[in-house]
Amino acid sequence: MTYSVGFRKKVVAFIRNGGGQRESARHFDISLWCVRDWLARKDLQPQQKGVPRQRKLDKDGLRAHVRDEPDALLRERAVRFGVHMSVIGKALRQMKLTRKKRR
């Protein structure tokens, strides 16, 4: 759970005004680890966890490929974009692009 910056400042101010770390943890119902972490920081902004996931499939490119080559098979599209066929199928479903239906 990410706490707001205002709440974090309130906890730190409580301690700087004479309250103890354990006391503030009980008072604000947070872990002692959080209190100590916030006191050690210069900036109370939440930190980003992990690295944003890089997507391999270019959805705009896929949309253009479907428009330009509507008869291409999933396996041909997969080879073109360097991904597995299931990735292409899932992306097409998410973009609400259905396969061409012939009469």
Side-chain angles (χ1 to χ4, degrees):
M1 174 184 210
T2 303
Y3 295 104
S4 69
V5 176
F7 178 73
R8 293 172 186 222
K9 287 179 181 179
K10 190 184 295 186
V11 172
V12 171
F14 180 84
I15 295 169
R16 298 235 164 98
N17 290 331
Q21 292 179 11
R22 290 178 194 268
E23 180 186 358
S24 66
R26 269 184 258 131
H27 179 73
F28 291 105
D29 195 30
I30 56 175
S31 69
L32 185 59
W33 180 89
C34 277
V35 173
R36 289 180 176 162
D37 180 55
W38 295 343
L39 285 172
R41 288 185 186 190
K42 292 179 182 176
D43 183 23
L44 291 176
Q45 292 291 330
Q47 296 174 341
Q48 170 113 12
K49 299 287 183 184
V51 178
R53 187 172 175 181
Q54 297 296 320
R55 300 294 178 173
K56 196 173 185 181
L57 181 62
D58 175 25
K59 289 193 178 180
D60 292 330
L62 178 61
R63 186 173 280 116
H65 190 261
V66 170
R67 184 184 60 243
D68 296 340
E69 299 183 37
D71 292 332
L73 301 174
L74 280 182
R75 68 174 170 257
E76 294 169 346
R77 295 187 202 282
V79 169
R80 161 82 168 75
F81 289 97
V83 296
H84 194 268
M85 287 189 324
S86 63
V87 174
I88 298 291
K90 185 176 180 181
L92 290 174
R93 279 192 303 275
Q94 287 175 346
M95 294 188 296
K96 297 189 182 351
L97 296 175
T98 59
R99 62 185 172 84
K100 182 178 173 185
K101 287 131 182 121
R102 298 181 186 194
R103 292 185 180 168

